[in-house]
Amino acid sequence: MAPDAGELVVFADDARLRQVLGNLMTNAITHTPGDASVRLRLRAESGSAVVEVADTGPGLTAEQAERVFERFYRADAARTRRAGGATGTGLGLAIVAALVAAHHGQVEVDSSPGEGATFRVRLPLAPESAEPIEES
């Protein structure tokens, strides 16, 4: 988290946010060569909590970046680091997009071939005066 970010509070389902972060990190690790890096960043920006998963891997073409959140879409299978070249179902990032939308947020990707990729999730910050919702 950025040193000056302070406490960032959003109203959200904890398990679903863990799933979002898990899917983004798994995607980055799976599609990033072993000699590249993956970073997780958190900051506040314009009334939103912003989570970024950034890698220094091969990046995405414009077409791949445009389609990466579609169900069953898989970019080039040659980009995977999984044993035997096995790839996933193409649902991980579609699930991320659906869960983020359900939390009134947005997800986006910035990428260029050879420049890595940054997946960015924006979730509305809880109003400071709001009381936390108690779970039953």
Side-chain angles (χ1 to χ4, degrees):
M1 183 161 62
D4 59 347
E7 186 174 271
L8 302 178
V9 178
V10 298
F11 289 131
D13 181 318
D14 178 65
R16 299 295 66 89
L17 288 187
R18 288 177 188 273
Q19 187 175 7
V20 165
L21 292 175
N23 285 3
L24 289 173
M25 290 298 291
T26 298
N27 186 68
I29 291 167
T30 299
H31 297 291
T32 302
D35 60 346
S37 65
V38 175
R39 291 183 300 173
L40 176 66
R41 295 183 287 227
L42 176 63
R43 69 176 187 281
E45 181 181 289
S46 303
S48 295
V50 180
V51 179
E52 291 181 340
V53 176
D55 66 63
T56 59
L60 300 167
T61 66
E63 179 188 355
Q64 290 169 330
E66 187 175 309
R67 298 189 60 204
V68 76
F69 296 108
E70 293 177 13
R71 288 183 346 178
F72 305 114
Y73 178 75
R74 290 185 288 179
D76 181 7
R79 294 175 61 240
T80 188
R81 275 201 310 162
R82 286 190 182 165
T87 59
T89 61
L91 287 174
L93 293 176
I95 290 169
V96 166
L99 291 174
V100 170
H103 286 86
H104 308 289
Q106 299 95 29
V107 62
E108 60 193 35
V109 61
D110 289 329
S111 185
S112 297
E115 299 292 322
T118 299
F119 287 84
R120 189 172 299 108
V121 172
R122 297 175 193 279
L123 296 170
L125 287 170
E128 289 183 39
S129 60
E131 292 295 318
I133 298 172
E134 300 219 7
E135 294 183 28
S136 49

